[in-house]
Coordinates of all heavy atoms in Angstrom, one line a residue:
E19 N 0.8 -1.2 0.0 CA 0.0 0.0 0.0 C 0.9 1.2 0.0 O 1.8 1.4 0.8 CB -0.9 0.0 1.2 CG -1.7 1.2 1.4 CD -2.4 1.2 2.8 OE1 -2.4 0.2 3.5 OE2 -3.0 2.3 3.1
L20 N 0.6 2.1 -0.9 CA 1.4 3.4 -1.0 C 0.8 4.4 0.0 O -0.4 4.5 0.2 CB 1.3 4.0 -2.4 CG 2.0 3.2 -3.5 CD1 1.8 3.9 -4.8 CD2 3.5 3.2 -3.2
K21 N 1.7 5.0 0.7 CA 1.2 6.0 1.7 C 1.8 7.4 1.4 O 2.9 7.5 0.8 CB 1.8 5.6 3.1 CG 1.2 4.3 3.6 CD 1.7 4.0 5.0 CE 1.1 2.7 5.4 NZ 1.5 2.4 6.8
S22 N 1.0 8.4 1.7 CA 1.5 9.8 1.4 C 2.6 10.1 2.4 O 2.8 9.5 3.4 CB 0.3 10.7 1.6 OG 0.0 10.8 3.0
S23 N 3.3 11.2 2.1 CA 4.4 11.7 3.0 C 3.8 12.0 4.3 O 4.4 11.8 5.4 CB 5.0 12.9 2.4 OG 5.7 12.6 1.2
Y24 N 2.6 12.6 4.3 CA 1.9 12.9 5.6 C 1.7 11.7 6.4 O 2.0 11.7 7.6 CB 0.6 13.7 5.3 CG -0.2 14.0 6.5 CD1 0.2 15.1 7.3 CD2 -1.3 13.3 6.8 CE1 -0.5 15.4 8.4 CE2 -2.0 13.6 8.0 CZ -1.6 14.7 8.8 OH -2.4 15.0 9.9
E25 N 1.2 10.6 5.8 CA 0.9 9.4 6.6 C 2.2 8.8 7.1 O 2.3 8.3 8.3 CB 0.2 8.4 5.7 CG -1.2 8.8 5.4 CD -1.9 7.9 4.3 OE1 -1.2 7.5 3.4 OE2 -3.1 7.6 4.5
L26 N 3.3 8.9 6.3 CA 4.5 8.3 6.8 C 5.1 9.2 7.9 O 5.7 8.6 8.9 CB 5.5 8.3 5.6 CG 5.2 7.3 4.5 CD1 6.1 7.5 3.3 CD2 5.3 5.9 5.0
A27 N 4.9 10.5 7.8 CA 5.4 11.4 8.9 C 4.6 11.1 10.2 O 5.2 11.1 11.3 CB 5.2 12.8 8.5
L28 N 3.3 10.9 10.1 CA 2.5 10.6 11.3 C 3.0 9.3 11.9 O 3.1 9.2 13.1 CB 1.1 10.4 10.9 CG 0.3 11.7 10.7 CD1 -1.1 11.5 10.3 CD2 0.4 12.6 11.9
E29 N 3.3 8.3 11.1 CA 3.8 7.0 11.6 C 5.2 7.2 12.3 O 5.4 6.7 13.4 CB 4.0 6.0 10.5 CG 2.7 5.4 10.0 CD 2.8 4.4 8.9 OE1 4.0 4.0 8.6 OE2 1.8 4.0 8.4
R30 N 6.1 8.0 11.7 CA 7.4 8.3 12.3 C 7.2 9.0 13.7 O 7.8 8.7 14.6 CB 8.2 9.2 11.4 CG 8.9 8.4 10.3 CD 10.0 9.1 9.6 NE 9.5 10.3 9.0 CZ 9.2 10.5 7.7 NH1 9.3 9.5 6.9 NH2 8.8 11.7 7.3
I31 N 6.3 10.0 13.7 CA 6.0 10.8 14.9 C 5.5 9.9 16.0 O 5.9 9.9 17.1 CB 5.1 12.0 14.6 CG1 5.8 13.0 13.8 CG2 4.5 12.6 15.9 CD1 5.0 14.2 13.3
K32 N 4.5 9.0 15.6 CA 4.0 8.1 16.6 C 5.1 7.1 17.1 O 5.1 6.8 18.3 CB 2.8 7.3 16.0 CG 1.6 8.2 15.9 CD 0.4 7.4 15.4 CE -0.8 8.3 15.3 NZ -2.0 7.6 14.9
G33 N 6.0 6.7 16.2 CA 7.1 5.9 16.5 C 8.1 6.5 17.5 O 8.8 5.9 18.2
M34 N 8.0 7.8 17.5 CA 8.9 8.6 18.4 C 8.3 8.7 19.8 O 8.9 9.4 20.7 CB 9.2 10.0 17.9 CG 10.0 10.0 16.6 SD 10.1 11.7 16.0 CE 10.7 11.4 14.3
G35 N 7.1 8.1 20.0 CA 6.5 8.2 21.3 C 5.8 9.4 21.7 O 5.6 9.8 22.8
I36 N 5.3 10.1 20.7 CA 4.5 11.3 20.9 C 3.1 10.9 21.3 O 2.4 10.1 20.7 CB 4.4 12.2 19.6 CG1 5.8 12.7 19.4 CG2 3.4 13.3 19.8 CD1 6.0 13.5 18.1
D37 N 2.7 11.4 22.4 CA 1.4 11.1 23.0 C 0.3 11.9 22.3 O 0.3 13.1 22.1 CB 1.4 11.5 24.5 CG 0.1 11.2 25.2 OD1 -0.8 10.6 24.6 OD2 0.0 11.5 26.4
D38 N -0.7 11.1 21.8 CA -1.8 11.8 21.0 C -2.6 12.7 21.9 O -3.3 13.6 21.4 CB -2.8 10.7 20.5 CG -2.2 10.0 19.3 OD1 -1.2 10.5 18.7 OD2 -2.7 8.9 19.0
S39 N -2.6 12.5 23.2 CA -3.4 13.3 24.1 C -2.6 14.6 24.5 O -3.1 15.4 25.2 CB -3.7 12.6 25.4 OG -2.6 12.3 26.1
L40 N -1.4 14.8 24.0 CA -0.6 16.0 24.2 C -1.4 17.2 23.8 O -1.8 17.3 22.6 CB 0.7 15.8 23.5 CG 1.7 16.9 23.8 CD1 2.2 16.9 25.2 CD2 2.9 16.7 22.9
S41 N -1.5 18.2 24.6 CA -2.2 19.4 24.3 C -1.2 20.4 23.8 O -0.2 20.7 24.5 CB -2.9 20.0 25.5 OG -3.9 19.1 25.9
L42 N -1.4 21.0 22.6 CA -0.6 22.0 22.1 C -1.3 23.4 22.3 O -2.5 23.4 22.2 CB -0.3 21.8 20.6 CG 0.4 20.5 20.2 CD1 0.4 20.3 18.7 CD2 1.8 20.5 20.8
T43 N -0.5 24.4 22.5 CA -1.1 25.7 22.6 C -1.4 26.2 21.2 O -1.0 25.6 20.2 CB -0.1 26.7 23.2 OG1 1.1 26.8 22.2 CG2 0.5 26.3 24.5
A44 N -2.2 27.2 21.1 CA -2.6 27.8 19.8 C -1.4 28.2 19.0 O -1.3 28.1 17.8 CB -3.6 29.0 20.0
E45 N -0.4 28.8 19.8 CA 0.8 29.3 19.2 C 1.6 28.1 18.6 O 2.1 28.2 17.5 CB 1.7 30.0 20.2 CG 3.0 30.6 19.7 CD 3.8 31.3 20.7 OE1 3.2 31.9 21.6 OE2 5.0 31.1 20.7
Q46 N 1.7 27.0 19.3 CA 2.4 25.8 18.8 C 1.7 25.2 17.6 O 2.4 24.8 16.6 CB 2.5 24.8 19.9 CG 3.5 25.2 21.0 CD 3.3 24.3 22.3 OE1 2.3 23.8 22.6 NE2 4.4 24.1 23.0
K47 N 0.4 25.2 17.6 CA -0.4 24.7 16.4 C -0.2 25.6 15.2 O 0.0 25.1 14.1 CB -1.9 24.6 16.8 CG -2.2 23.5 17.7 CD -3.7 23.5 18.1 CE -4.0 22.5 19.1 NZ -5.5 22.5 19.5
Q48 N -0.1 26.9 15.5 CA 0.1 27.8 14.4 C 1.5 27.7 13.8 O 1.7 27.7 12.6 CB -0.1 29.3 14.9 CG 0.1 30.3 13.9 CD -0.2 31.7 14.4 OE1 -0.3 31.9 15.6 NE2 -0.2 32.7 13.6
R49 N 2.5 27.4 14.7 CA 3.9 27.2 14.2 C 4.0 25.9 13.4 O 4.7 25.9 12.4 CB 4.8 27.2 15.5 CG 6.3 27.0 15.1 CD 6.8 28.2 14.3 NE 8.2 27.9 13.9 CZ 8.6 28.0 12.7 NH1 7.9 28.5 11.7 NH2 9.9 27.6 12.4
I50 N 3.3 24.9 13.8 CA 3.3 23.6 13.1 C 2.7 23.9 11.7 O 3.3 23.4 10.7 CB 2.6 22.5 13.8 CG1 3.4 22.1 15.0 CG2 2.3 21.3 12.9 CD1 2.7 21.1 15.9
A51 N 1.6 24.6 11.6 CA 1.0 24.9 10.3 C 1.9 25.7 9.5 O 2.0 25.5 8.2 CB -0.3 25.6 10.5
E52 N 2.6 26.7 10.1 CA 3.6 27.5 9.3 C 4.7 26.6 8.8 O 5.2 26.8 7.7 CB 4.1 28.6 10.3 CG 5.1 29.5 9.6 CD 5.6 30.5 10.7 OE1 4.8 31.0 11.5 OE2 6.8 30.8 10.6
I53 N 5.2 25.7 9.6 CA 6.3 24.8 9.2 C 5.9 24.0 8.0 O 6.6 23.8 7.0 CB 6.8 23.9 10.3 CG1 7.5 24.7 11.4 CG2 7.6 22.7 9.8 CD1 7.7 24.0 12.7
K54 N 4.6 23.5 8.0 CA 4.1 22.7 6.9 C 3.9 23.5 5.7 O 4.3 23.0 4.6 CB 2.8 22.0 7.3 CG 2.9 21.0 8.4 CD 1.5 20.4 8.8 CE 1.7 19.3 9.8 NZ 0.3 18.8 10.2
R55 N 3.4 24.7 5.8 CA 3.3 25.6 4.6 C 4.6 25.9 4.0 O 4.8 25.9 2.8 CB 2.6 26.9 5.0 CG 1.1 26.8 5.1 CD 0.4 28.2 5.3 NE 1.0 29.0 6.3 CZ 0.5 29.0 7.6 NH1 -0.4 28.2 7.9 NH2 1.1 29.8 8.5
E56 N 5.6 26.2 4.9 CA 7.0 26.5 4.3 C 7.5 25.3 3.6 O 8.1 25.5 2.5 CB 7.9 26.9 5.5 CG 7.7 28.2 6.1 CD 8.5 28.5 7.4 OE1 9.3 27.6 7.8 OE2 8.3 29.6 7.9
C57 N 7.3 24.1 4.1 CA 7.8 22.9 3.5 C 7.1 22.7 2.1 O 7.8 22.4 1.1 CB 7.7 21.7 4.4 SG 8.3 20.2 3.6
E58 N 5.8 22.9 2.1 CA 5.0 22.7 0.9 C 5.5 23.7 -0.2 O 5.6 23.3 -1.4 CB 3.6 22.9 1.1 CG 2.9 21.8 1.9 CD 1.5 22.0 2.3 OE1 0.9 23.0 1.8 OE2 1.0 21.3 3.1
A59 N 5.8 24.9 0.2 CA 6.3 25.9 -0.7 C 7.7 25.6 -1.3 O 7.9 25.7 -2.5 CB 6.3 27.3 0.0
K60 N 8.5 25.1 -0.4 CA 9.9 24.7 -0.8 C 9.8 23.5 -1.8 O 10.6 23.4 -2.7 CB 10.8 24.4 0.4 CG 11.2 25.7 1.1 CD 12.0 25.4 2.3 CE 12.3 26.7 3.1 NZ 13.1 26.4 4.3
V61 N 8.9 22.6 -1.5 CA 8.8 21.4 -2.3 C 8.3 21.8 -3.7 O 8.8 21.4 -4.8 CB 7.8 20.3 -1.7 CG1 7.4 19.3 -2.7 CG2 8.5 19.7 -0.5
A62 N 7.3 22.7 -3.7 CA 6.7 23.2 -5.0 C 7.8 24.0 -5.8 O 8.0 23.8 -7.0 CB 5.5 24.1 -4.8
E63 N 8.6 24.8 -5.1 CA 9.7 25.5 -5.7 C 10.7 24.6 -6.3 O 11.1 24.7 -7.5 CB 10.4 26.4 -4.7 CG 11.5 27.2 -5.3 CD 12.2 28.1 -4.2 OE1 12.0 27.9 -3.0 OE2 13.0 28.9 -4.6
N64 N 11.1 23.5 -5.6 CA 12.0 22.5 -6.1 C 11.5 21.8 -7.3 O 12.2 21.5 -8.2 CB 12.5 21.6 -5.0 CG 13.6 22.2 -4.1 OD1 14.2 23.2 -4.4 ND2 13.8 21.5 -3.0
K65 N 10.2 21.5 -7.3 CA 9.6 20.8 -8.4 C 9.7 21.6 -9.7 O 9.9 21.1 -10.7 CB 8.1 20.4 -8.1 CG 8.0 19.2 -7.1 CD 6.6 18.9 -6.9 CE 6.5 17.7 -6.0 NZ 5.1 17.3 -5.7
I66 N 9.5 22.9 -9.5 CA 9.6 23.8 -10.7 C 11.1 23.9 -11.1 O 11.4 23.8 -12.3 CB 9.0 25.2 -10.3 CG1 7.5 25.1 -10.2 CG2 9.4 26.2 -11.4 CD1 6.9 26.3 -9.6
L67 N 12.0 24.2 -10.2 CA 13.4 24.5 -10.5 C 14.1 23.2 -10.9 O 15.0 23.3 -11.8 CB 14.1 25.1 -9.3 CG 13.6 26.5 -8.9 CD1 14.3 27.0 -7.7 CD2 13.8 27.5 -10.1
M68 N 13.7 22.1 -10.4 CA 14.5 20.9 -10.6 C 13.7 19.9 -11.5 O 14.0 18.7 -11.5 CB 14.9 20.2 -9.3 CG 15.8 21.1 -8.4 SD 16.1 20.3 -6.8 CE 17.2 19.0 -7.4
H69 N 12.7 20.4 -12.2 CA 11.8 19.5 -13.0 C 12.6 18.5 -13.7 O 13.4 18.8 -14.6 CB 11.0 20.4 -13.9 CG 10.0 19.5 -14.7 ND1 8.9 19.0 -14.2 CD2 10.0 19.2 -16.0 CE1 8.3 18.3 -15.1 NE2 8.9 18.4 -16.3
G70 N 12.3 17.2 -13.4 CA 12.9 16.1 -14.1 C 14.3 15.7 -13.7 O 14.9 14.8 -14.1
A71 N 14.9 16.5 -12.7 CA 16.2 16.2 -12.3 C 16.2 14.9 -11.4 O 15.3 14.7 -10.6 CB 16.8 17.4 -11.4
P72 N 17.2 14.1 -11.5 CA 17.2 12.8 -10.8 C 17.3 13.1 -9.3 O 17.0 12.2 -8.5 CB 18.4 12.1 -11.3 CG 19.2 13.0 -12.2 CD 18.3 14.2 -12.5
E73 N 17.8 14.3 -8.9 CA 18.0 14.6 -7.4 C 16.7 15.0 -6.8 O 16.7 15.2 -5.6 CB 19.0 15.7 -7.2 CG 20.4 15.5 -7.9 CD 20.4 16.0 -9.3 OE1 19.6 16.8 -9.7 OE2 21.3 15.5 -10.1
L74 N 15.7 15.3 -7.6 CA 14.4 15.9 -7.0 C 13.8 15.0 -5.9 O 13.5 15.6 -4.8 CB 13.4 16.1 -8.1 CG 12.1 16.7 -7.7 CD1 12.3 18.0 -7.0 CD2 11.1 16.8 -8.9
P75 N 13.6 13.7 -6.1 CA 13.1 12.9 -4.9 C 13.9 13.0 -3.7 O 13.3 13.1 -2.6 CB 13.0 11.5 -5.5 CG 13.0 11.7 -7.0 CD 13.9 12.9 -7.2
E76 N 15.2 13.0 -3.8 CA 16.0 13.1 -2.6 C 15.9 14.5 -1.9 O 15.9 14.6 -0.7 CB 17.5 12.8 -2.9 CG 18.4 12.9 -1.8 CD 18.2 11.9 -0.7 OE1 17.5 10.9 -0.9 OE2 18.7 12.1 0.4
E77 N 15.8 15.5 -2.7 CA 15.6 16.9 -2.2 C 14.3 17.0 -1.4 O 14.2 17.6 -0.4 CB 15.7 17.9 -3.3 CG 17.1 18.2 -3.8 CD 18.1 18.6 -2.7 OE1 17.8 19.5 -1.9 OE2 19.2 18.1 -2.6
I78 N 13.3 16.5 -2.0 CA 12.0 16.5 -1.4 C 12.0 15.7 -0.1 O 11.5 16.2 1.0 CB 10.9 15.9 -2.3 CG1 10.7 16.9 -3.5 CG2 9.6 15.7 -1.6 CD1 9.8 16.4 -4.6
R79 N 12.7 14.6 -0.1 CA 12.8 13.8 1.2 C 13.5 14.5 2.2 O 13.1 14.5 3.4 CB 13.5 12.4 0.9 CG 13.5 11.5 2.1 CD 14.6 10.4 1.9 NE 15.9 10.9 1.9 CZ 16.6 11.3 3.0 NH1 16.0 11.4 4.1 NH2 17.8 11.8 2.9
K80 N 14.6 15.3 1.9 CA 15.3 16.1 2.9 C 14.4 17.2 3.4 O 14.5 17.4 4.6 CB 16.6 16.7 2.2 CG 17.7 15.7 1.9 CD 18.8 16.4 1.2 CE 19.9 15.4 0.8 NZ 21.0 16.1 0.1
L81 N 13.7 17.8 2.6 CA 12.8 18.9 3.1 C 11.8 18.3 4.0 O 11.5 18.9 5.1 CB 12.1 19.6 1.9 CG 13.0 20.5 1.0 CD1 12.3 20.9 -0.3 CD2 13.4 21.7 1.8
E82 N 11.2 17.2 3.7 CA 10.2 16.6 4.5 C 10.8 16.1 5.8 O 10.2 16.2 6.9 CB 9.5 15.4 3.8 CG 8.6 15.9 2.7 CD 8.1 14.8 1.8 OE1 8.6 13.7 1.9 OE2 7.1 15.1 1.0
Q83 N 12.0 15.6 5.8 CA 12.7 15.2 7.0 C 12.9 16.4 7.9 O 12.7 16.4 9.1 CB 14.0 14.5 6.7 CG 14.7 14.0 7.9 CD 16.0 13.3 7.5 OE1 16.4 13.1 6.4 NE2 16.7 12.8 8.5
R84 N 13.4 17.5 7.4 CA 13.6 18.8 8.2 C 12.3 19.2 8.8 O 12.2 19.6 9.9 CB 14.2 19.9 7.3 CG 15.7 19.7 7.2 CD 16.4 20.9 6.5 NE 17.1 20.3 5.4 CZ 17.1 20.7 4.1 NH1 16.3 21.6 3.7 NH2 17.8 20.0 3.2
R85 N 11.2 19.2 8.0 CA 9.9 19.5 8.5 C 9.5 18.7 9.7 O 9.1 19.2 10.7 CB 8.8 19.4 7.4 CG 7.4 19.6 7.8 CD 6.4 18.9 6.9 NE 6.6 17.5 6.9 CZ 6.2 16.7 5.9 NH1 5.6 17.2 4.8 NH2 6.5 15.4 6.0
D86 N 9.7 17.4 9.5 CA 9.3 16.5 10.6 C 10.2 16.7 11.9 O 9.7 16.6 13.0 CB 9.5 15.0 10.2 CG 8.5 14.6 9.1 OD1 7.6 15.4 8.8 OD2 8.8 13.6 8.4
E87 N 11.4 17.0 11.7 CA 12.3 17.3 12.8 C 11.9 18.6 13.6 O 11.9 18.6 14.8 CB 13.8 17.4 12.4 CG 14.4 16.1 11.9 CD 15.7 16.3 11.2 OE1 16.2 17.4 11.0 OE2 16.3 15.3 10.9
K88 N 11.5 19.6 12.8 CA 11.0 20.8 13.4 C 9.7 20.6 14.2 O 9.5 21.1 15.3 CB 10.8 21.9 12.4 CG 12.1 22.5 11.8 CD 11.8 23.5 10.7 CE 13.1 24.0 10.0 NZ 12.8 25.0 9.0
I89 N 8.8 19.8 13.6 CA 7.6 19.5 14.3 C 7.8 18.7 15.5 O 7.2 19.0 16.6 CB 6.6 18.8 13.3 CG1 6.1 19.8 12.2 CG2 5.4 18.3 14.1 CD1 5.3 19.2 11.1
E90 N 8.7 17.7 15.5 CA 9.0 16.9 16.6 C 9.6 17.8 17.7 O 9.3 17.6 18.9 CB 10.0 15.8 16.2 CG 10.6 15.1 17.4 CD 9.7 14.4 18.3 OE1 8.5 14.1 17.9 OE2 10.0 14.1 19.5
A91 N 10.4 18.8 17.4 CA 11.0 19.7 18.4 C 9.9 20.4 19.1 O 9.9 20.6 20.3 CB 12.0 20.6 17.8
L92 N 8.8 20.8 18.4 CA 7.7 21.5 19.0 C 6.9 20.6 20.0 O 6.5 21.0 21.0 CB 6.8 22.1 17.9 CG 7.3 23.4 17.3 CD1 6.4 23.7 16.1 CD2 7.3 24.5 18.3
Y93 N 6.8 19.3 19.5 CA 6.1 18.4 20.4 C 6.9 18.1 21.7 O 6.4 18.0 22.8 CB 5.9 17.1 19.7 CG 4.6 17.0 18.9 CD1 4.6 17.2 17.5 CD2 3.4 16.9 19.5 CE1 3.4 17.2 16.8 CE2 2.2 16.9 18.8 CZ 2.2 17.0 17.4 OH 1.1 17.0 16.7
Q94 N 8.2 18.1 21.5 CA 9.1 17.9 22.7 C 9.0 19.1 23.7 O 8.9 18.9 24.9 CB 10.6 17.7 22.3 CG 10.8 16.3 21.7 CD 12.3 16.1 21.3 OE1 13.1 17.0 21.5 NE2 12.5 15.0 20.7
E95 N 8.9 20.3 23.1 CA 8.7 21.5 23.9 C 7.4 21.4 24.6 O 7.3 21.8 25.8 CB 8.7 22.7 22.9 CG 8.5 24.0 23.6 CD 8.4 25.2 22.6 OE1 9.4 25.3 21.8 OE2 7.4 25.8 22.6
A96 N 6.4 21.0 24.0 CA 5.1 20.9 24.6 C 5.1 19.9 25.7 O 4.5 20.1 26.8 CB 4.0 20.5 23.6
R97 N 5.8 18.7 25.5 CA 5.9 17.7 26.6 C 6.6 18.3 27.8 O 6.2 18.1 28.9 CB 6.7 16.5 26.1 CG 5.8 15.5 25.5 CD 6.6 14.2 25.3 NE 6.6 13.8 23.9 CZ 7.5 14.0 23.0 NH1 8.5 14.7 23.3 NH2 7.3 13.6 21.8
Q98 N 7.7 19.1 27.6 CA 8.4 19.7 28.7 C 7.5 20.7 29.4 O 7.6 20.8 30.7 CB 9.7 20.4 28.1 CG 10.7 19.5 27.6 CD 11.2 18.5 28.7 OE1 11.4 18.9 29.8 NE2 11.4 17.3 28.3
Q99 N 6.7 21.4 28.7 CA 5.8 22.4 29.4 C 4.8 21.8 30.2 O 4.3 22.3 31.2 CB 5.2 23.3 28.3 CG 6.2 24.3 27.7 CD 5.6 25.1 26.6 OE1 4.5 24.9 26.1 NE2 6.3 26.1 26.1
Q100 N 4.4 20.6 29.8 CA 3.3 19.9 30.6 C 3.8 19.1 31.8 O 3.0 18.6 32.5 CB 2.5 19.0 29.6 CG 1.7 19.8 28.6 CD 0.8 18.9 27.8 OE1 0.8 17.7 27.9 NE2 0.0 19.5 26.9
K101 N 5.1 19.0 31.9 CA 5.6 18.2 33.1 C 5.5 19.0 34.3 O 5.5 20.2 34.4 CB 7.0 17.8 32.8 CG 7.1 16.7 31.8 CD 8.6 16.2 31.7 CE 8.6 15.1 30.8 NZ 10.0 14.6 30.6

């Protein structure tokens, strides 16, 4: 079964032990949305600039990995605040 990048990211995040019941502040939710928008924009830009380039899939993977790392950092921050 093929999964979207989003579904794969959710699986990775769950695999990192992120609690679904974790409460995020409005600011943290807004920051996550901003991170996702920035990544989507960079992916779109790379698709235009690197159209057909063999490196494109790897560049997209790197951007998505950076996105996931930034989101994970926000979740870790939220966990620390709730302790």
Side-chain angles (χ1 to χ4, degrees):
E19 173 187 353
L20 292 176
K21 296 182 181 181
S22 70
S23 296
Y24 177 74
E25 291 169 322
L26 293 171
L28 284 178
E29 286 180 5
R30 282 195 298 265
I31 288 172
K32 286 183 181 181
M34 294 176 193
I36 293 176
D37 184 1
D38 287 341
S39 66
L40 185 66
S41 296
L42 298 174
T43 65
E45 182 181 321
Q46 289 166 329
K47 290 177 184 179
Q48 184 177 6
R49 181 66 186 129
I50 288 172
E52 182 181 320
I53 290 167
K54 289 178 180 179
R55 280 192 306 273
E56 288 173 0
C57 181
E58 289 172 10
K60 288 178 183 178
V61 167
E63 178 183 14
N64 279 347
K65 284 182 178 181
I66 292 168
L67 296 175
M68 299 178 71
H69 182 72
E73 306 89 19
L74 180 59
E76 179 64 18
E77 287 301 314
I78 291 173
R79 188 195 64 74
K80 287 178 186 177
L81 289 169
E82 290 172 344
Q83 182 177 359
R84 279 186 233 129
R85 174 202 61 205
D86 296 344
E87 289 168 356
K88 289 178 182 179
I89 292 172
E90 169 60 18
L92 282 171
Y93 274 103
Q94 286 180 4
E95 177 184 304
R97 269 193 237 93
Q98 292 299 320
Q99 290 175 351
Q100 289 186 359
K101 285 186 179 181

